[in-house]
């Protein structure tokens, strides 16, 4: 049943009970039990990320019956099919017409309170496939595993392990659905991946082929993961962050046993309670035994000290809504994160565990893994692309060496369309920017390459052949040598699920070197060497 | 509507919606809208404290329809009228027969989700009656205000200001309903009282008569308050703790403007989510700029650092359920708090901000303001009475001087019945213990006085005359000189609301020195001098 906001009595709780019998249910289009179940699953996989598990809205607007019944069935179907100017994706080619009809009906019903998940529930679904003592003591294959690209195959529910030396797919490892990010053990051997379905898997790259050694489910809807890398806690803990229930879970990084769960339900920066205060992104801090937990709806970054998890120290830094992806400056002291609904980048000092500054950017900044480089005029800078407009914004991030530039905009460079990712390498002259959020193939199949010296853009057509089906170029990653840039082609539409590819460019000539074909919705790629050494 | 626990799908949220249409409402006895409103108010004032705002149970069992409909109307009426062996109070004489019938019907209905409260809601109900610049710069009366007894007149919704020199009631100050505890500014002049209805009032004892200078509502159901006393933050912040919504609020101690709200919804020590994780008690730590926030249902003590409330540092110490009242050791470093459903006392080190130890006591320890003294055998000790049995338990609390005794039971002394409070004074030979939780007047109108040297008990009949109406002796407080002990007589029953009294004893002779009569349900008393100097 939908939880209603009730009257607030002066002296005591005095509820207008008579008014509580919902009329929403009566006015909603009829659905059978089976249709309801199916719609629930679709909503959860495709809609909840932006509109919230409880449909109260987040990046997208609320989808409560008072809103959706007002719009009506025809208008809802049209919005879902075609998308909106406001940032809503078009779902034709992703959902069938029948499913669009179904989901349009479904969202006119009262939302359902989703269940909680206890530590005992997690333990029940915790599995060790290979006991730590049975793990190999050296690599079981002769491949250069430090140049593997650990690649999200989004709709396949798997990670593709691709050898960047040979451009061959080594194996596909079954994991959770729609993995958002993968994080490495300090030696780069183990990879921890958080499925959107809450499944948190540990992959061993030394096995032949690489496989999952242990897993645990930490929520019903989850996004990110991080591994403790500091001091005596190196590789001791893994943290998983959940959208629903809104909490984070600390598990044993060796066995994946869940040890501790902490709720992130909290008040936003204006003092409104957010029952759905979701964990957007998680990071290990290089210089302290802490994780950064970014609580999306409450606009708080929690710096969680893992040196004593029974007496858990948390610094709750008030910043801005809604927190999404972030990255460290090159020193590892400062953390730079997007508050996308506030059009701001937020800067934190992980040493003092306090907010340093906030910066107005373009519409909905989204740095993904981000990029740090040296600008000839401003010195050390970092940049973000934007979900809401075609723009690269970069700012000074060297408060010691360049105090006047620090946390101020150095420049803003217009691209052809809104994008998701920006990426560079210390040995490269280039900064790569995708335009994946633009609706037109003439833009979203192209990426931009900015020269660091001149700030001039070169557009690059990522597909090496005309792509007649719906496909976008998304996410760049350098290989171990820093000379190749790997760009994903994300294909979609019926019959094209396996037409995704990765196009490999020479970073100097900007020519195509190779194409890895036959991949199902390849998205984020994580080069073992670069991630382990925090290059980029 | 009652929030149900739903099935937990493996892959995605898959809700058995068809099963969700409640049958509870149909089977519950009919109530009119007016009856429902009245029952809500009664439930909230009398029942929610033990059974929870959402009726999911806490100190008392859950009162959800599946439980209450099974018991049925007659059995429910009988339990409410007569109480139970398990600790349920008898409500005959407190509630009318009609109201007992009404509330028995009401609790067979589905519970209602209570509303949230935002910082903006609090600001709307924030009032400054006397601006800080208009406050007097010296006392406006010639009374010895440092020997005032600030006295809770529970059902009157007021604090009685009693002059302990003259034994006269100076004034009654209207505050929130059923105040639980009062806390002082560092000079003892201002008193902050938290009403059960969420009303947090600031009283100025220098005014003639003393009156409320500002107030704010911080929740719909609240219990405790504390004031920052450390360093540069002395008297800067006041913190209020709420049962519903489960949160704490930091306000400006000068104006009572609400500044910050933090949710305490959290997981208990077994990893179960507690939507109703209520703030039971609040304390300022003498040696650090921190508050202790005791989260009842989750068994966590949060040490909340108030030195930077925008980057709020919290240590979440995992202890035991359910946390209630606590007190410091004489050094102010260690904090001793009851976890009453675990039959434990919990010991925390506020310097390291970590749990030190836990100790098994008798059934449901309840120290109230507690008592520290020196035992001839064990050295420095502290003691608690118990809600569940007639017992004084005391333990060593000097880990530096008496490490073998520290946090170990020194002795347990049987009294005639379960009680609420224990109290002493450094200059006294006695420890006073009430027996207020025993159902019989032959016990609950008596208190016990233990000699610190011999550990022998002397029973004292508190009423100076036969009390024919229902009345119990509860709560002891020393006066400023440390020679008098003030004991409340808590009268109840129709027509006897103003028959409460405070009986003043000579602590040496144990003879009655005076009686302050005509008080409405006097309960806790706070002597300005003793509280300000942390005597006892």
């Amino acid at each position: 049943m939908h939880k209603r906001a009730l009257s607030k009595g002066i002296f005591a709780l005095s509820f207008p009970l008579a008014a509580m019998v919902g009329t929403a249910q009566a006015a909603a289009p009829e659905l059978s039990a089976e249709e309801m179940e199916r719609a629930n699953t679709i909503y959860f996989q495709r809609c909840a990320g932006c509109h919230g598990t409880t449909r109260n809205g987040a990046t997208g607007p609320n989808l409560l019956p008072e809103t959706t019944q007002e719009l009506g069935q025809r208008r809802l179907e049209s919005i879902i099919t075609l998308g909106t100017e406001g940032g809503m994706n078009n779902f034709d080619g992703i959902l069938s017409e029948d499913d669009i009809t179904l989901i349009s009906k479904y969202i006119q019903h009262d939302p359902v309170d989703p269940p909680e998940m206890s530590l005992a529930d997690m333990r029940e679904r915790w599995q060790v496939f290979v006991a730590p003592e049975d793990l190999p003591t050296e690599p079981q294959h002769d491949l250069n595993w430090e140049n593997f690209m650990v690649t999200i195959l989004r709709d396949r529910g798997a990670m593709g392990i691709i050898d960047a030396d040979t451009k061959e797919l080594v194996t596909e490892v079954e994991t959770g659905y729609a993995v958002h990010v993968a994080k490495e053990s300090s030696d780069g051997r183990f990879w921890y991946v958080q499925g959107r379905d809450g499944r948190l898997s540990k992959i061993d790259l030394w096995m032949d082929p690489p496989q999952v050694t242990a897993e645990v489910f930490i929520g019903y809807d989850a996004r990110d993961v991080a591994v403790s890398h500091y001091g005596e806690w190196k590789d001791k803990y893994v943290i998983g962050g959940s959208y629903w229930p809104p909490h984070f879970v600390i598990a044993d990084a060796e066995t994946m046993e869940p040890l501790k769960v902490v709720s992130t339900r909290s008040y936003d920066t204006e003092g409104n309670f957010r029952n759905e205060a979701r964990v957007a992104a998680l990071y290990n801090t290089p210089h302290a035994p802490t994780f950064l937990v970014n609580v999306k709806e409450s606009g708080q970054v929690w710096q969680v000290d893992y040196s004593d998890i029974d007496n858990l120290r948390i610094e709750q830094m008030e910043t801005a809504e809604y927190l999404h992806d972030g990255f460290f400056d090159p020193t590892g002291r400062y953390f730079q994160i997007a508050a996308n609904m506030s059009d701001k980048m937020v800067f934190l000092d992980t040493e003092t565990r306090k907010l340093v500054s906030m910066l107005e950017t373009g519409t909905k900044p989204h740095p993904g893994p981000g990029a740090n480089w040296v600008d000839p005029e401003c010195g050390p800078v970092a940049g973000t692309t934007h979900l809401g407009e075609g723009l690269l914004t970069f700012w000074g991030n060297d408060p010691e060496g360049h105090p006047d530039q620090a946390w101020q905009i150095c420049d803003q460079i217009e691209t052809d369309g809104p994008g998701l990712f920006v990426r560079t390498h210390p040995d490269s002259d280039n900064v790569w920017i995708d335009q994946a959020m633009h609706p037109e193939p003439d833009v979203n199949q192209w990426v931009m390459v900015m020269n660091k010296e001149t700030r001039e853009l070169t557009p690059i057509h990522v597909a090496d052949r005309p792509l007649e089906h719906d496909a976008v170029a998304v996410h760049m990653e350098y290989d171990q040598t820093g000379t190749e840039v790997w760009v994903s082609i994300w294909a979609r539409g019926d019959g094209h699920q396996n037409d995704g590819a990765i196009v490999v460019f020479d970073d100097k000539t900007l020519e195509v070197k190779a194409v890895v074909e036959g991949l199902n919705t390849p998205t984020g790629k994580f080069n073992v060497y670069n991630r382990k050494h925090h290059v980029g």
Side-chain angles (χ1 to χ4, degrees), chain A residues 157-191:
Chain A
M159 299 299 284
I161 310 298
I162 304 172
D163 182 342
D165 282 6
T166 64
K167 277 71 177 173
E168 297 284 332
L169 178 69
V170 177
T171 190
E172 288 185 2
V173 183
E174 196 199 327
T175 61
Y177 166 78
V179 167
H180 193 70
V181 178
K183 302 277 174 76
E184 76 292 345
S185 64
S186 56
D187 60 3
R189 169 184 174 180
F190 295 106
W191 282 75

Side-chain angles (χ1 to χ4, degrees), chain A residues 216-518:
Chain A
V216 63
F217 283 76
I218 60 97
Y220 303 105
D221 186 9
R223 285 302 182 280
D224 208 354
V225 58
V227 187
S228 64
H229 283 182
Y230 184 80
E232 65 187 276
W233 302 274
K234 186 185 277 191
D235 300 320
K236 180 169 179 165
Y237 296 124
V238 57
I239 183 173
S242 173
Y243 267 22
W244 192 269
H247 65 207
F248 62 83
V249 175
I250 296 175
D252 180 329
E254 191 173 46
T255 64
M256 305 300 278
E257 180 186 2
L259 302 173
K260 175 100 184 176
V261 51
V262 178
S263 178
T264 52
R265 295 178 209 222
S266 45
Y267 286 82
D268 64 22
T269 60
E270 298 200 328
N272 301 300
F273 178 64
R274 295 297 196 135
N275 194 47
E276 208 173 338
R278 308 180 296 178
V279 177
L282 297 164
Y283 303 87
N284 177 72
T285 59
H287 305 309
T290 58
F291 292 124
L292 293 177
V293 176
N294 297 284
V295 188
K296 199 178 194 70
E297 282 75 9
S298 65
Q300 293 181 4
V301 181
W302 292 10
Q303 190 162 351
V304 178
D305 196 312
Y306 50 69
S307 65
D308 181 357
I309 65 171
D310 295 327
N311 299 283
L312 201 67
R313 174 179 169 182
I314 303 177
E315 256 89 359
Q316 300 181 343
M317 296 174 259
E318 240 181 72
T319 66
E321 292 86 3
Y322 295 149
L323 295 168
H324 194 67
D325 279 346
F327 60 111
F328 286 93
D329 81 311
T331 71
R333 173 173 176 174
Y334 298 101
F335 186 67
Q336 313 163 108
I337 183 164
N340 55 31
M341 295 302 279
S342 307
D343 301 334
K344 285 190 174 70
M345 286 297 302
V346 169
F347 308 113
L348 308 170
D349 184 341
T350 63
E351 192 176 301
T352 60
R353 307 185 187 188
K354 291 182 191 296
L355 174 70
V356 171
S357 190
M358 295 200 279
L359 176 68
E360 197 90 16
T361 62
T363 309
K364 295 192 188 174
H366 186 286
N372 293 300
W373 69 92
V374 179
D375 180 87
E377 184 192 327
C378 305
V381 295
T384 185
T385 184
H386 297 75
L387 295 177
E389 59 182 309
L391 193 67
L392 174 74
T393 298
F394 53 99
W395 57 88
N397 67 353
D398 177 23
E400 285 76 23
H402 296 74
D404 292 349
Q405 316 281 352
W407 322 126
Q408 305 298 321
I409 285 180
C410 171
D411 203 356
Q412 294 189 296
I413 308 291
E414 280 184 30
T415 66
D416 288 345
L420 285 166
F421 297 103
V422 58
R423 199 77 179 133
T424 188
H425 188 282
D427 299 335
S428 168
D429 297 330
N430 300 323
V431 177
W432 292 64
I433 308 132
D434 73 24
Q435 304 176 133
M437 295 301 285
H438 196 278
E440 294 301 322
D442 283 353
V443 178
N444 67 31
Q445 292 178 7
W446 293 68
V447 297
M448 290 291 186
V449 178
M450 187 188 79
N451 182 283
K452 289 178 184 173
E453 285 295 314
T454 65
R455 298 182 194 165
E456 271 169 22
L457 295 183
T458 306
I460 305 283
H461 189 212
V462 176
D464 64 335
R465 62 192 186 287
L467 288 171
E468 285 165 16
H469 56 272
D470 193 5
V472 298
V474 63
H475 194 271
M476 292 71 59
E477 179 80 349
Y478 282 81
D479 77 328
Q480 181 179 5
T481 67
T483 62
E484 294 176 357
V485 178
W486 290 46
V487 188
S488 297
I489 292 284
W490 206 68
R492 54 190 200 177
D494 280 348
H496 291 290
Q497 285 86 349
N498 291 312
D499 288 348
I502 295 173
V503 183
V504 181
F505 289 89
D506 183 303
D507 186 48
K508 288 276 180 232
T509 65
L510 306 183
E511 297 293 322
V512 173
K513 279 185 70 173
V515 181
V516 185
E517 308 236 27

Side-chain angles (χ1 to χ4, degrees), chain A residues 2-9 12-21:
Chain A
H2 171 45
K3 190 170 182 178
R4 286 154 193 287
L6 296 169
S7 77
K8 292 158 183 172
L13 291 171
S14 186
F15 304 127
L17 292 173
M20 287 201 56
V21 180

